Amino acid sequence: MSGLLRIHWAIVPKTPPRPLINCNRCGTVKAYCSSGKFRVNANGKRIDVWLIYRCLDCDTSWNLGIFERCNRRDIDPTLLQALESNDPALARRYAFNVIALRNQVGRVEEFPDVAVHKRRLGDTRETATMLELQLGLEMPISLRLDRLLAGELGISRSRLQALEDKRLLILGRDGAKALRKPAREGTTIRIDLSGEADRQTIISAAGG
């Protein structure tokens, strides 16, 4: 399509969620942070695995269960080696599993801060009037799509809503509802900027 500029946004969350736990040492509910370390306990053929968390104030530990009384043969050898060696990428993946945290503790503190790595797809056009953003998420995030777009494009959320009302911002089947939901993997956003005076500024902010 003439005048169409496609840009891929690789979105990486910065701060993992923190479970809120009643700390016996502090005597009140405190936020706990992942230590990035696993505890692997083998009893014969059975293995228990936890991700170790620490109270931010007193360093008391709490363990997030990953495997419980699991047969060693049922765990992929590569995964088991990564757990036993405290693989940082694996620890990060488990630390961002907010569903697992909620299932075990109920209350979880989430953070919307992300890093966005932008990459143009195809040739850059000086005359681009239509912007297509393709979202790629390392893992699910809690940041609403309208907040993400407003922050990265340098425009207000009310303006995004106005563009959507005029059908100049297209979000697929969910339409405006998607703006109020967390950004999702694979989402494609098209914005018609042909009538916007600050078109080049927005395109530059988008990564063009």
Side-chain angles (χ1 to χ4, degrees), residues 98-115:
V98 68
I99 294 176
L101 283 171
R102 286 203 186 101
N103 286 340
Q104 293 197 32
V105 301
R107 297 177 60 192
V108 178
E109 183 180 18
E110 295 186 72
F111 302 88
D113 53 329
V114 299

Side-chain angles (χ1 to χ4, degrees), residues 183-197:
R184 291 287 181 255
E185 163 68 26
T187 297
T188 297
I189 304 107
R190 282 198 174 190
I191 309 176
D192 184 349
L193 299 170
S194 58
E196 306 301 311

Side-chain angles (χ1 to χ4, degrees), residues 79-96:
L79 173 59
L80 183 57
Q81 183 180 14
L83 291 166
E84 292 176 334
S85 63
N86 292 314
D87 180 77
L90 184 62
R92 173 179 168 82
R93 193 178 81 194
Y94 280 115
F96 273 95

